[in-house]
Amino acid sequence: MRLREIAELVGAELVGDGEKEVKKLSPLHSADCNSLTFLTNPKYKEQAIKSEALAILTNSKENFEGKILLIHKNPYSAWAKLLRVFYKEKEFLKGIDRTAIVDKSSKIEENCHIGAYVVMGRNCVVKEGVVIEPHCVIGDNCIIGENCHLYPRVVLYDNVELSKRVILHSGVVVGSDGFGYAEDEGKIRKVPQVGSVLIEDDVEIGANTTVDRGSLEKTILGAGSKIDNLCQIAHNVTLGKNCVIIAQSGISGSTQLGDGVIMSGQSGSVGHIKIGSFSIIGAKSAVTKDVPYKSHYTGIPAQDHKKYLKEQAILRRIDKLYETLKKIKEIKDDRD
Amino acid sequence: MRLREIAELVGAELVGDGEKEVKKLSPLHSADCNSLTFLTNPKYKEQAIKSEALAILTNSKENFEGKILLIHKNPYSAWAKLLRVFYKEKEFLKGIDRTAIVDKSSKIEENCHIGAYVVMGRNCVVKEGVVIEPHCVIGDNCIIGENCHLYPRVVLYDNVELSKRVILHSGVVVGSDGFGYAEDEGKIRKVPQVGSVLIEDDVEIGANTTVDRGSLEKTILGAGSKIDNLCQIAHNVTLGKNCVIIAQSGISGSTQLGDGVIMSGQSGSVGHIKIGSFSIIGAKSAVTKDVPYKSHYTGIPAQDHKKYLKEQAILRRIDKLYETLKKIKEIKDDRD
Amino acid sequence: MRLREIAELVGAELVGDGEKEVKKLSPLHSADCNSLTFLTNPKYKEQAIKSEALAILTNSKENFEGKILLIHKNPYSAWAKLLRVFYKEKEFLKGIDRTAIVDKSSKIEENCHIGAYVVMGRNCVVKEGVVIEPHCVIGDNCIIGENCHLYPRVVLYDNVELSKRVILHSGVVVGSDGFGYAEDEGKIRKVPQVGSVLIEDDVEIGANTTVDRGSLEKTILGAGSKIDNLCQIAHNVTLGKNCVIIAQSGISGSTQLGDGVIMSGQSGSVGHIKIGSFSIIGAKSAVTKDVPYKSHYTGIPAQDHKKYLKEQAILRRIDKLYETLKKIKEIKDDRD
């Protein structure tokens, strides 16, 4: 593909010879004279100049010492578009594999791929263009919307509803029982979990993540939300639109996230609270109370990020604080 | 179902018209004039009064401004009982699916459901009333006790024993090798994990949780214990009776929990220690040493919860402490 | 097996009667008069002396009050060797199960076991001696090296390469899409993940762990590395040789570990950093920046372990610090 074609395709400004041909997309460190590469972080500018890359897709208008540039205001998004052109999506054979066991009360619409050894229960509806890869198990009364993609070995319990273009990676479990028990004379008795799960349009869920069904109503993952691997979404949780939940995070029962909330890796939240829209929760943090709109909370327990940073800065020098105080007045010290 | 029938069934005191009919069980926020709802947290009393609910199941004897009440000393437990009446448990066809592959040396007792594509090894015993849903893989020499329920895609390695009424959710792996290696001249060599796992009566394990086999003997999960999703139970761990392990927690090798221990979400423990009966470990905490009977430990590392709270309270004001000290005596400060 | 035979086999020095016969290998607490047991931790010496064990494999040359000893400089490694003798490894039938679905373009070499309901895509190569247990799903273009062992229900996405003797436990997912999204006018758009995964010789990965494919190039797990259950390895991560990643740890995108790095349980790392060879990261720690060669880092955020310990020691006495300061000068205290 010629550089001028690429520029046109993604809407980039071309600086340099547009007739040169790009044969591959490469990261900076391995780009060669056939590569288009990609730069957003100015930290790597020197590396970009020194690289053998034929051309650089960037948002920078700076001088790159003669490199051919494709300048775009959102180069990562343009890059994603190019990846779709250079790497064709895998195609799946249409039809139901002869080893798939689909209850005859379930309805599979046109242009679906139902893979080997898929098992599907009663009264399901699978809409057009769905791909269900081998070894998925779908319970009763599930709805799988247009163009959803279930990677191998996804499990949906009964009554789960996926809207359109939902992507579930291998090992995802949706609709497992929430962790609900009642103590009864010293015994722990299971509280039946009779709700369900609704996953809205364009949600993607990473490998081995678990989403529990509601106890009475629905656990809801809002449209456009992205959940990474090995996360836990407990019963009755609701996510707003476009939330981003990073790996190994967990959200406890009945907690509500607004729109655009980001939970960084290995973070968690207690149950029954609200995390305001567009809030960011720091990595490894534990949210223990409501978080206001557009906040940045960090720590265990999570607090305002600036206050957290200040606290941490002092903590890193607590030895000096301690020594100073000792000089002023002797602290009774069990170790001395 | 009439309110007086419900009162009788669960042993509640009825305050109001018992002839009214309950058509559904609803959470407070969506209850309507056909709903019985449920209240334990006095915080929501106002909401209960304002709700359209026909009646309220509660432990409170306060005035609810004319609402019909079902008063029960343990309303959550009564609620669980009602859920079982209103929502029939799913029924599974008795028998062995024609696609299940069960070694002929294994014995399946009466009234079992062995689902599609289940694979079972040699010399297993599956007792009466067991449900094994599709795609479960059972190793050799496993014992699965009366009325156990394995959701789709559970794996038992060889020699795993489940007692009665054990529930394993999708993606659970029981009996995987413990993390045991010996260093040998700079190489890391695997130590064969030749023990097994015993899961006692009424244990329930959440989706994608892993339980490693003992290195020589048994990893044991005591009767009535409940383990949430995505937890890790390492080799040789023993849980007493009625332990509660909340999501994404991990217990390292050879650690022993007494009875009734609660490990809150995302908590962990080092190996080779004892956590005393009826102890509570706070969320995100890391237990690093023995915990006495009936303790409440929190933090990283975990310490007595009251001491932890005190420490945290001071930490939240450490900036003031620092400023005060600075006024008294100049602290040598690299930042200044 | 006689004690002198065992001594010879593992190269241990025998102290006592070599004609006595060992019938089993037992842990200290349950050893009886037929048992060889094992001691490395001097803390348990008393227990060893009091045990009924016939003999003790140890590195200690101390007096054990007449117990027969096998003295070895690396007793745990010798123990591992003995376990391999006393407990034969499971044998798997050679051949392809009639229910396995292997695309005809894929090549299975000699002496492999391809279990029930395995599904394998196009153009795979499975080398000699490989065991693929039931219900594994292998994508297109995968290479599985000599003597690899995939436990039931492993998923490899397309283009994954396993070198020799790789062990993947149940529920492992290798090659799932990395968590890569570009923001585009308020929408979160998926960035195609077109790289792959290379797992080198002798790597073992625990149950339900996930390893994402590279975004453009390869996620690489270096030879001899061992990864425990429920870990998350993000896209473009590279592990050096002999790394040890303990349960529920997570490594974020593009982070590079040197050789011999140990990440303790429930630890994590941000993306795009380097952790130097032979470094140790403490349990529950969060690495936020480059870690030098042979460091020991602990905490959230992780810092030098000695500094961490000092900080923690002062923190445990912060109440005294606070009280002392209060006596000197009244701290403005919102609570007072």
Side-chain angles (χ1 to χ4, degrees), chain A residues 311-312 314-316 318-319 322 335, chain B residues 300-301 303 307-308 310-316 318 321, chain C residues 300 303 307-322:
Chain A
E311 203 177 289
Q312 287 290 317
I314 299 173
L315 266 175
R316 287 304 90 75
I318 200 170
D319 51 341
Y322 184 71
R335 301 180 310 177
Chain B
I300 307 174
Q303 57 176 320
K307 192 155 178 352
Y308 165 81
K310 197 170 177 185
E311 202 177 289
Q312 287 290 318
I314 298 173
L315 266 175
R316 286 306 89 75
I318 201 171
L321 212 148
Chain C
I300 308 174
Q303 57 175 319
K307 194 157 179 347
Y308 166 81
L309 287 181
K310 196 169 179 187
E311 202 177 289
Q312 287 292 315
I314 299 172
L315 266 176
R316 288 302 91 75
R317 295 136 74 238
I318 202 171
D319 52 341
K320 283 174 189 165
L321 213 148
Y322 185 71

Short mmCIF file of all heavy atoms in Angstrom, two decimals, chain A residues 311-312 314-316 318-319 322 335, chain B residues 300-301 303 307-308 310-316 318 321, chain C residues 300 303 307-322:
data_model
loop_
_atom_site.label_atom_id
_atom_site.label_comp_id
_atom_site.label_asym_id
_atom_site.label_seq_id
_atom_site.Cartn_x
_atom_site.Cartn_y
_atom_site.Cartn_z
N GLU A 311 0.40 12.19 50.97
CA GLU A 311 0.60 11.25 52.08
C GLU A 311 1.79 10.33 51.79
O GLU A 311 2.63 10.10 52.64
CB GLU A 311 -0.69 10.43 52.21
CG GLU A 311 -0.92 9.81 53.56
CD GLU A 311 -2.25 9.08 53.57
OE1 GLU A 311 -3.30 9.75 53.56
OE2 GLU A 311 -2.25 7.84 53.58
N GLN A 312 1.82 9.83 50.56
CA GLN A 312 2.90 8.93 50.18
C GLN A 312 4.25 9.63 50.23
O GLN A 312 5.25 9.06 50.67
CB GLN A 312 2.66 8.38 48.76
CG GLN A 312 1.54 7.36 48.69
CD GLN A 312 1.92 6.05 49.39
OE1 GLN A 312 3.03 5.56 49.24
NE2 GLN A 312 1.01 5.50 50.16
N ILE A 314 5.18 12.05 52.11
CA ILE A 314 5.63 12.18 53.50
C ILE A 314 6.05 10.82 54.05
O ILE A 314 7.07 10.68 54.73
CB ILE A 314 4.53 12.82 54.38
CG1 ILE A 314 4.22 14.23 53.85
CG2 ILE A 314 4.96 12.86 55.84
CD1 ILE A 314 3.03 14.90 54.53
N LEU A 315 5.27 9.81 53.72
CA LEU A 315 5.59 8.45 54.18
C LEU A 315 6.99 8.03 53.77
O LEU A 315 7.70 7.37 54.52
CB LEU A 315 4.59 7.45 53.60
CG LEU A 315 3.41 7.13 54.48
CD1 LEU A 315 2.43 6.24 53.73
CD2 LEU A 315 3.89 6.45 55.75
N ARG A 316 7.36 8.38 52.55
CA ARG A 316 8.68 7.97 52.06
C ARG A 316 9.79 8.60 52.91
O ARG A 316 10.92 8.16 52.88
CB ARG A 316 8.88 8.36 50.59
CG ARG A 316 8.15 7.57 49.52
CD ARG A 316 8.37 6.09 49.52
NE ARG A 316 7.41 5.38 50.35
CZ ARG A 316 6.14 5.14 50.04
NH1 ARG A 316 5.64 5.56 48.92
NH2 ARG A 316 5.37 4.47 50.88
N ILE A 318 9.28 9.24 56.30
CA ILE A 318 8.84 9.14 57.69
C ILE A 318 10.01 8.84 58.63
O ILE A 318 9.97 9.18 59.81
CB ILE A 318 7.70 8.09 57.82
CG1 ILE A 318 6.92 8.34 59.11
CG2 ILE A 318 8.24 6.67 57.76
CD1 ILE A 318 5.64 7.55 59.22
N ASP A 319 11.06 8.23 58.09
CA ASP A 319 12.22 7.96 58.95
C ASP A 319 12.86 9.27 59.43
O ASP A 319 13.24 9.39 60.59
CB ASP A 319 13.25 7.08 58.23
CG ASP A 319 13.61 7.61 56.86
OD1 ASP A 319 12.84 8.43 56.30
OD2 ASP A 319 14.67 7.23 56.34
N TYR A 322 10.70 10.81 62.02
CA TYR A 322 10.86 10.07 63.27
C TYR A 322 12.16 10.47 63.97
O TYR A 322 12.17 10.75 65.18
CB TYR A 322 10.86 8.57 62.96
CG TYR A 322 10.94 7.69 64.17
CD1 TYR A 322 9.85 7.59 65.04
CD2 TYR A 322 12.09 6.96 64.45
CE1 TYR A 322 9.91 6.78 66.15
CE2 TYR A 322 12.16 6.15 65.56
CZ TYR A 322 11.07 6.06 66.42
OH TYR A 322 11.13 5.26 67.52
N ARG A 335 11.89 -0.89 70.94
CA ARG A 335 13.06 -1.54 70.34
C ARG A 335 14.35 -1.06 70.98
O ARG A 335 15.35 -1.75 70.92
CB ARG A 335 13.12 -1.23 68.84
CG ARG A 335 11.89 -1.69 68.08
CD ARG A 335 12.03 -1.36 66.62
NE ARG A 335 12.42 0.06 66.48
CZ ARG A 335 12.67 0.64 65.33
NH1 ARG A 335 12.61 -0.06 64.20
NH2 ARG A 335 12.99 1.92 65.27
N ILE B 300 -1.81 -4.48 55.15
CA ILE B 300 -0.69 -5.14 54.50
C ILE B 300 0.58 -4.67 55.19
O ILE B 300 1.01 -3.54 54.97
CB ILE B 300 -0.60 -4.76 53.00
CG1 ILE B 300 -1.95 -5.03 52.32
CG2 ILE B 300 0.51 -5.53 52.32
CD1 ILE B 300 -2.00 -4.54 50.88
N PRO B 301 1.20 -5.41 56.06
CA PRO B 301 0.74 -6.71 56.54
C PRO B 301 -0.45 -6.56 57.49
O PRO B 301 -0.62 -5.51 58.10
CB PRO B 301 1.97 -7.22 57.29
CG PRO B 301 2.66 -6.00 57.76
CD PRO B 301 2.44 -4.97 56.70
N GLN B 303 -2.78 -6.62 60.61
CA GLN B 303 -2.59 -6.45 62.06
C GLN B 303 -3.97 -6.30 62.69
O GLN B 303 -4.98 -6.23 62.01
CB GLN B 303 -1.73 -5.22 62.33
CG GLN B 303 -2.30 -3.93 61.74
CD GLN B 303 -1.50 -2.70 62.10
OE1 GLN B 303 -1.04 -2.58 63.22
NE2 GLN B 303 -1.33 -1.80 61.14
N LYS B 307 -6.05 -1.47 65.81
CA LYS B 307 -4.74 -0.80 65.67
C LYS B 307 -4.60 -0.28 64.23
O LYS B 307 -4.12 0.83 64.00
CB LYS B 307 -3.63 -1.79 66.03
CG LYS B 307 -2.28 -1.13 66.20
CD LYS B 307 -1.34 -1.88 67.09
CE LYS B 307 0.03 -1.17 67.18
NZ LYS B 307 0.31 -0.03 66.29
N TYR B 308 -5.06 -1.10 63.29
CA TYR B 308 -5.03 -0.69 61.89
C TYR B 308 -5.82 0.61 61.68
O TYR B 308 -5.36 1.55 61.03
CB TYR B 308 -5.58 -1.80 61.01
CG TYR B 308 -5.92 -1.37 59.60
CD1 TYR B 308 -4.95 -1.27 58.63
CD2 TYR B 308 -7.24 -1.06 59.25
CE1 TYR B 308 -5.25 -0.85 57.34
CE2 TYR B 308 -7.55 -0.65 57.97
CZ TYR B 308 -6.57 -0.55 57.01
OH TYR B 308 -6.87 -0.13 55.75
N LYS B 310 -6.61 2.90 63.85
CA LYS B 310 -5.95 4.02 64.51
C LYS B 310 -4.80 4.53 63.64
O LYS B 310 -4.66 5.75 63.42
CB LYS B 310 -5.42 3.54 65.86
CG LYS B 310 -5.07 4.65 66.80
CD LYS B 310 -4.78 4.09 68.19
CE LYS B 310 -4.37 5.24 69.13
NZ LYS B 310 -3.96 4.69 70.45
N GLU B 311 -4.02 3.60 63.15
CA GLU B 311 -2.89 3.94 62.28
C GLU B 311 -3.38 4.71 61.05
O GLU B 311 -2.81 5.72 60.67
CB GLU B 311 -2.23 2.63 61.86
CG GLU B 311 -0.80 2.75 61.42
CD GLU B 311 -0.22 1.37 61.11
OE1 GLU B 311 0.01 0.57 62.05
OE2 GLU B 311 -0.02 1.09 59.92
N GLN B 312 -4.45 4.19 60.46
CA GLN B 312 -4.99 4.83 59.26
C GLN B 312 -5.48 6.24 59.56
O GLN B 312 -5.30 7.16 58.77
CB GLN B 312 -6.14 3.99 58.68
CG GLN B 312 -5.70 2.72 58.01
CD GLN B 312 -4.96 2.97 56.72
OE1 GLN B 312 -5.35 3.82 55.92
NE2 GLN B 312 -3.85 2.29 56.50
N ALA B 313 -6.12 6.40 60.73
CA ALA B 313 -6.65 7.72 61.09
C ALA B 313 -5.51 8.72 61.19
O ALA B 313 -5.62 9.86 60.72
CB ALA B 313 -7.42 7.62 62.40
N ILE B 314 -4.41 8.30 61.79
CA ILE B 314 -3.27 9.22 61.90
C ILE B 314 -2.66 9.47 60.52
O ILE B 314 -2.32 10.60 60.17
CB ILE B 314 -2.21 8.67 62.88
CG1 ILE B 314 -2.83 8.54 64.28
CG2 ILE B 314 -0.99 9.58 62.92
CD1 ILE B 314 -1.94 7.85 65.30
N LEU B 315 -2.55 8.41 59.75
CA LEU B 315 -1.99 8.54 58.39
C LEU B 315 -2.75 9.57 57.57
O LEU B 315 -2.16 10.34 56.81
CB LEU B 315 -2.07 7.20 57.66
CG LEU B 315 -0.81 6.36 57.75
CD1 LEU B 315 -1.03 5.01 57.10
CD2 LEU B 315 0.35 7.09 57.08
N ARG B 316 -4.07 9.56 57.71
CA ARG B 316 -4.87 10.52 56.94
C ARG B 316 -4.52 11.95 57.31
O ARG B 316 -4.83 12.87 56.58
CB ARG B 316 -6.36 10.28 57.15
CG ARG B 316 -7.01 9.07 56.50
CD ARG B 316 -6.83 8.92 55.03
NE ARG B 316 -5.64 8.19 54.64
CZ ARG B 316 -5.47 6.87 54.73
NH1 ARG B 316 -6.43 6.10 55.17
NH2 ARG B 316 -4.34 6.30 54.39
N ILE B 318 -1.31 12.83 58.31
CA ILE B 318 0.15 12.88 58.45
C ILE B 318 0.73 14.18 57.90
O ILE B 318 1.78 14.64 58.33
CB ILE B 318 0.80 11.64 57.77
CG1 ILE B 318 2.21 11.42 58.34
CG2 ILE B 318 0.83 11.78 56.26
CD1 ILE B 318 2.85 10.12 57.92
N LEU B 321 0.81 16.49 60.82
CA LEU B 321 1.88 16.06 61.70
C LEU B 321 3.21 16.59 61.17
O LEU B 321 4.03 17.14 61.91
CB LEU B 321 1.87 14.53 61.67
CG LEU B 321 2.29 13.74 62.89
CD1 LEU B 321 1.49 12.43 62.93
CD2 LEU B 321 3.77 13.43 62.86
N ILE C 300 3.38 -0.85 48.12
CA ILE C 300 2.53 -0.20 47.12
C ILE C 300 2.71 1.29 47.28
O ILE C 300 2.16 1.87 48.20
CB ILE C 300 1.05 -0.56 47.30
CG1 ILE C 300 0.87 -2.07 47.37
CG2 ILE C 300 0.20 0.06 46.21
CD1 ILE C 300 -0.56 -2.49 47.70
N GLN C 303 9.15 -0.33 46.76
CA GLN C 303 10.42 0.38 46.98
C GLN C 303 11.42 -0.62 47.55
O GLN C 303 11.07 -1.77 47.82
CB GLN C 303 10.19 1.54 47.94
CG GLN C 303 9.59 1.11 49.28
CD GLN C 303 9.48 2.25 50.28
OE1 GLN C 303 10.38 3.06 50.37
NE2 GLN C 303 8.38 2.31 51.01
N LYS C 307 14.18 -0.32 53.01
CA LYS C 307 13.52 0.96 53.28
C LYS C 307 12.03 0.72 53.62
O LYS C 307 11.48 1.34 54.53
CB LYS C 307 13.69 1.86 52.04
CG LYS C 307 13.32 3.30 52.34
CD LYS C 307 13.96 4.30 51.39
CE LYS C 307 13.53 5.74 51.72
NZ LYS C 307 12.42 5.92 52.65
N TYR C 308 11.45 -0.20 52.90
CA TYR C 308 10.05 -0.57 53.17
C TYR C 308 9.89 -1.05 54.61
O TYR C 308 8.98 -0.64 55.33
CB TYR C 308 9.60 -1.65 52.18
CG TYR C 308 8.31 -2.34 52.57
CD1 TYR C 308 7.07 -1.75 52.33
CD2 TYR C 308 8.33 -3.59 53.21
CE1 TYR C 308 5.89 -2.38 52.70
CE2 TYR C 308 7.16 -4.21 53.59
CZ TYR C 308 5.94 -3.60 53.33
OH TYR C 308 4.78 -4.23 53.72
N LEU C 309 10.80 -1.93 55.03
CA LEU C 309 10.69 -2.50 56.39
C LEU C 309 10.84 -1.41 57.44
O LEU C 309 10.11 -1.39 58.44
CB LEU C 309 11.77 -3.56 56.60
CG LEU C 309 11.56 -4.88 55.87
CD1 LEU C 309 12.70 -5.84 56.19
CD2 LEU C 309 10.21 -5.53 56.24
N LYS C 310 11.78 -0.49 57.20
CA LYS C 310 12.01 0.60 58.14
C LYS C 310 10.75 1.47 58.25
O LYS C 310 10.29 1.81 59.34
CB LYS C 310 13.19 1.43 57.64
CG LYS C 310 13.77 2.34 58.68
CD LYS C 310 15.08 2.92 58.18
CE LYS C 310 15.66 3.88 59.24
NZ LYS C 310 16.84 4.57 58.69
N GLU C 311 10.20 1.78 57.10
CA GLU C 311 8.98 2.59 57.05
C GLU C 311 7.84 1.90 57.82
O GLU C 311 7.14 2.52 58.60
CB GLU C 311 8.60 2.74 55.56
CG GLU C 311 7.72 3.92 55.25
CD GLU C 311 7.49 4.00 53.74
OE1 GLU C 311 8.42 4.34 53.00
OE2 GLU C 311 6.36 3.69 53.32
N GLN C 312 7.71 0.61 57.56
CA GLN C 312 6.65 -0.15 58.22
C GLN C 312 6.87 -0.16 59.74
O GLN C 312 5.92 -0.07 60.50
CB GLN C 312 6.62 -1.60 57.70
CG GLN C 312 6.05 -1.73 56.29
CD GLN C 312 4.57 -1.43 56.24
OE1 GLN C 312 3.81 -1.88 57.08
NE2 GLN C 312 4.16 -0.65 55.27
N ALA C 313 8.12 -0.31 60.16
CA ALA C 313 8.40 -0.36 61.60
C ALA C 313 7.97 0.94 62.27
O ALA C 313 7.36 0.93 63.34
CB ALA C 313 9.88 -0.63 61.82
N ILE C 314 8.27 2.05 61.61
CA ILE C 314 7.86 3.34 62.18
C ILE C 314 6.34 3.48 62.14
O ILE C 314 5.71 3.91 63.09
CB ILE C 314 8.55 4.51 61.45
CG1 ILE C 314 10.06 4.39 61.60
CG2 ILE C 314 8.05 5.85 61.99
CD1 ILE C 314 10.85 5.39 60.77
N LEU C 315 5.77 3.05 61.03
CA LEU C 315 4.30 3.13 60.90
C LEU C 315 3.59 2.39 62.03
O LEU C 315 2.57 2.85 62.54
CB LEU C 315 3.86 2.51 59.57
CG LEU C 315 3.69 3.48 58.43
CD1 LEU C 315 3.36 2.73 57.16
CD2 LEU C 315 2.58 4.47 58.76
N ARG C 316 4.12 1.28 62.41
CA ARG C 316 3.48 0.48 63.48
C ARG C 316 3.47 1.25 64.80
O ARG C 316 2.72 0.91 65.70
CB ARG C 316 4.18 -0.87 63.66
CG ARG C 316 3.99 -1.94 62.60
CD ARG C 316 2.58 -2.37 62.30
NE ARG C 316 1.98 -1.59 61.24
CZ ARG C 316 2.26 -1.72 59.93
NH1 ARG C 316 3.11 -2.61 59.52
NH2 ARG C 316 1.67 -0.95 59.05
N ARG C 317 4.35 2.28 64.88
CA ARG C 317 4.41 3.06 66.13
C ARG C 317 4.03 4.51 65.89
O ARG C 317 4.37 5.38 66.69
CB ARG C 317 5.82 2.94 66.72
CG ARG C 317 6.14 1.51 67.14
CD ARG C 317 7.52 1.06 66.73
NE ARG C 317 8.48 1.70 67.58
CZ ARG C 317 9.46 2.47 67.11
NH1 ARG C 317 9.58 2.70 65.82
NH2 ARG C 317 10.30 3.01 67.94
N ILE C 318 3.28 4.73 64.83
CA ILE C 318 2.94 6.10 64.48
C ILE C 318 2.05 6.75 65.54
O ILE C 318 2.04 7.97 65.71
CB ILE C 318 2.31 6.19 63.07
CG1 ILE C 318 2.46 7.60 62.51
CG2 ILE C 318 0.87 5.72 63.08
CD1 ILE C 318 2.08 7.74 61.06
N ASP C 319 1.31 5.92 66.26
CA ASP C 319 0.46 6.47 67.32
C ASP C 319 1.33 7.12 68.41
O ASP C 319 0.99 8.19 68.93
CB ASP C 319 -0.45 5.40 67.91
CG ASP C 319 0.28 4.16 68.34
OD1 ASP C 319 1.43 3.95 67.88
OD2 ASP C 319 -0.26 3.39 69.15
N LYS C 320 2.46 6.50 68.71
CA LYS C 320 3.37 7.07 69.71
C LYS C 320 3.98 8.37 69.20
O LYS C 320 4.10 9.35 69.93
CB LYS C 320 4.48 6.08 70.04
CG LYS C 320 4.00 4.96 70.95
CD LYS C 320 5.07 3.91 71.15
CE LYS C 320 4.45 2.72 71.88
NZ LYS C 320 5.32 1.54 71.80
N LEU C 321 4.37 8.33 67.95
CA LEU C 321 4.91 9.51 67.30
C LEU C 321 3.91 10.66 67.41
O LEU C 321 4.26 11.79 67.78
CB LEU C 321 5.15 9.14 65.84
CG LEU C 321 6.30 9.76 65.09
CD1 LEU C 321 6.82 8.76 64.06
CD2 LEU C 321 5.85 11.02 64.39
N TYR C 322 2.69 10.32 67.12
CA TYR C 322 1.61 11.31 67.14
C TYR C 322 1.38 11.86 68.55
O TYR C 322 1.27 13.08 68.75
CB TYR C 322 0.34 10.66 66.60
CG TYR C 322 -0.81 11.60 66.47
CD1 TYR C 322 -0.82 12.58 65.47
CD2 TYR C 322 -1.90 11.52 67.32
CE1 TYR C 322 -1.88 13.44 65.34
CE2 TYR C 322 -2.97 12.38 67.20
CZ TYR C 322 -2.96 13.34 66.20
OH TYR C 322 -4.02 14.20 66.07
#
